[in-house]
Amino acid sequence: MKRISLTQYLVEEQRMNNSIPAELRLLIEVVARACKTISHAVSKGALGEVLGSAGSENVQGEVQKKLDVLSNEMLLEANEWGGHLAAMASEEMETIHPIPHRYPKGEYLLLFDPLDGSSNIDVNVSIGTIFSVLKAPEGMSTPSEQDFLQCGTKQVAAGYAVYGPQTVLVLTTGNGVNCFTLDREMGSWVLTQRDMKIPAETKEYAINASNARHWYPPVKRYVDELLAGKTGPRGKDFNTRWIASMVADVHRILNRGGIFMYPADAREPDKPGKLRLMYEANPMAFIVEQAGGAATNGKQRILDIQPQKLHERVAVFLGSRSEVERVTSYHNA
Ligand code: P6P
């Protein structure tokens, strides 16, 4: 197959669908370049003295790994001089990050989880970067947190990188989902999967089963039916996978179907779930829907949720459409 680079794909996409203005193309290429840098740092592991804790906590009260902090800095530095952004927001930073005065400003807002699944870093399990792109509100002068609080349907692009056996970048700008694999010798992203579609049927589900005793009835009913297998109401056996890296679980689902669930549960009744809406659930929901899947919080489409806070959490059910619709119907029964 003729090798198509990320740049060629973006230029041709702009020519055909007029969906990637030059500034957005620059943004995507800058983020992709930052992911290359993060991949390089991650792959050094102990040899790069980048493993272990940074000795600090993030806004979520989670211990930050050195690579969490490093990845965040790499994304900030890569994006602040290009003139394509008005501001950035990150899981690792409490407040938004305006573009420094010394640089020109653009019309886009970039949100990211710089290194998702960081509990897996020190044990060499796949981790990744998730990003979401919004347009700054018309007439915005000084960016505020409020400007970021837009529904997921307003995203103009979303993507993730998985730092695993291969380093891949999965991207959507609203015209389908494409996957690029990093050619480390050339240092370029090469289109390897065009217009990805999630298989409608599946036999795999992903949930952290150690929380089973805390699940609310709709989730318990749905998972019990899967566990009942061939002899139960589903009439077939299911398999489970839980990598504890959302990017890796989602990438598997994009490729061979499945459902990913991180529900709210009785451990903390006031907490709607663990995952964050703005820079985990929304970008993944955009990608999954563009690949023919579905994504809800158990009650409604994730992309329709009106955010109230930058770091708000949300319950997540995403993947093969028939499965997401089933477990969502149990919540609305
Ligand atoms: P648990 C990683 O910390 C993360 O945010 C997601 O990538 C992952 O799916 C989930 O949390 C794992 O959570 O409770 O199973 O450790």
Side-chain angles (χ1 to χ4, degrees):
M1 179 159 106
K2 179 181 175 301
R3 289 164 71 100
I4 294 179
S5 68
L6 175 64
T7 302
Q8 180 177 348
Y9 166 78
L10 294 171
V11 167
E12 290 176 350
E13 186 67 19
Q14 167 59 10
R15 194 177 299 147
M16 281 185 290
N17 294 310
N18 196 28
S19 66
I20 310 185
E23 290 290 274
L24 180 58
R25 174 153 64 84
L26 170 64
L27 192 169
I28 292 168
E29 292 197 293
V30 166
V31 171
R33 196 173 310 122
C35 290
K36 267 196 289 191
T37 314
I38 294 170
S39 172
H40 182 67
V42 162
S43 65
K44 284 186 179 173
L47 301 176
E49 292 166 10
V50 289
L51 298 184
S53 165
S56 51
E57 278 192 358
N58 64 14
V59 62
Q60 331 287 343
E62 293 164 342
V63 171
Q64 288 180 306
K65 302 281 189 180
K66 285 179 193 159
L67 274 170
D68 281 324
V69 177
L70 202 56
S71 308
N72 193 59
E73 284 163 6
M74 287 171 174
L75 279 159
L76 294 178
E77 284 159 22
N79 279 287
E80 56 186 14
W81 49 266
H84 49 283
L85 290 181
M88 291 181 256
S90 165
E91 179 195 60
E92 300 301 330
M93 301 185 299
E94 181 153 6
T95 57
I96 66 166
H97 182 86
I99 297 302
H101 293 303
R102 63 184 180 280
Y103 295 125
K105 295 188 188 26
E107 59 179 344
Y108 294 105
L109 302 174
L110 176 65
L111 303 94
F112 47 82
D113 178 357
L115 205 58
D116 177 69
S118 41
S119 61
N120 284 319
I121 296 174
D122 297 350
V123 293
N124 197 20
V125 170
S126 297
I127 48 184
T129 298
I130 310 172
F131 67 93
S132 169
V133 184
L134 296 167
K135 288 199 74 170
E138 286 297 320
M140 179 193 76
S141 53
T142 309
S144 69
E145 177 169 319
Q146 194 58 37
D147 297 314
F148 282 79
L149 302 184
Q150 303 177 34
C151 283
T153 48
K154 298 288 190 188
Q155 293 174 99
V156 293
Y160 64 81
V162 182
Y163 311 120
Q166 306 100 39
T167 286
V168 297
L169 178 73
V170 170
L171 174 69
T172 186
T173 56
N175 290 297
V177 179
N178 293 283
C179 180
F180 301 83
T181 302
L182 180 61
D183 174 343
R184 292 186 187 283
E185 284 142 29
M186 301 295 285
S188 56
W189 293 102
V190 179
L191 179 61
T192 43
Q193 285 173 274
R194 194 186 276 273
D195 200 19
M196 298 176 85
K197 292 296 176 200
I198 299 180
E201 297 303 319
T202 182
K203 66 175 178 64
E204 272 184 339
Y205 69 97
I207 191 167
N208 183 334
S210 70
N211 301 322
R213 66 187 181 285
H214 305 299
W215 293 338
Y216 293 125
V219 173
K220 182 118 183 55
R221 173 186 171 193
Y222 176 73
V223 175
D224 282 348
E225 289 179 355
L226 301 179
L227 288 170
K230 230 185 239 107
T231 58
R234 301 302 307 274
K236 67 177 185 177
D237 291 340
F238 286 79
N239 196 11
T240 187
R241 287 283 181 277
W242 185 251
I243 305 174
S245 259
M246 186 185 195
V247 288
D249 280 316
V250 169
H251 194 64
R252 183 193 61 254
I253 289 167
L254 267 182
N255 279 285
R256 65 184 197 216
I259 181 169
F260 171 94
M261 296 173 275
Y262 210 111
D265 64 41
R267 283 179 290 173
E268 293 182 73
D270 298 341
K271 202 169 152 188
K274 173 181 182 184
L275 301 175
R276 289 82 173 182
L277 175 62
M278 295 307 293
Y279 39 79
E280 289 175 334
N282 267 343
M284 290 308 199
F286 187 17
I287 290 165
V288 161
E289 285 198 4
Q290 283 288 313
T296 74
N297 65 353
K299 295 282 183 193
Q300 68 177 108
R301 190 176 172 231
I302 282 179
L303 294 181
D304 289 337
I305 295 172
Q306 174 52 53
Q308 302 303 322
K309 289 196 303 245
L310 185 62
H311 297 292
E312 77 180 62
R313 299 173 190 267
V314 67
V316 177
F317 300 85
L318 63 77
S320 295
R321 178 168 291 280
S322 59
E323 294 303 324
V324 174
E325 287 170 353
R326 175 187 288 267
V327 68
T328 302
S329 70
Y330 291 177
H331 282 76
N332 297 316

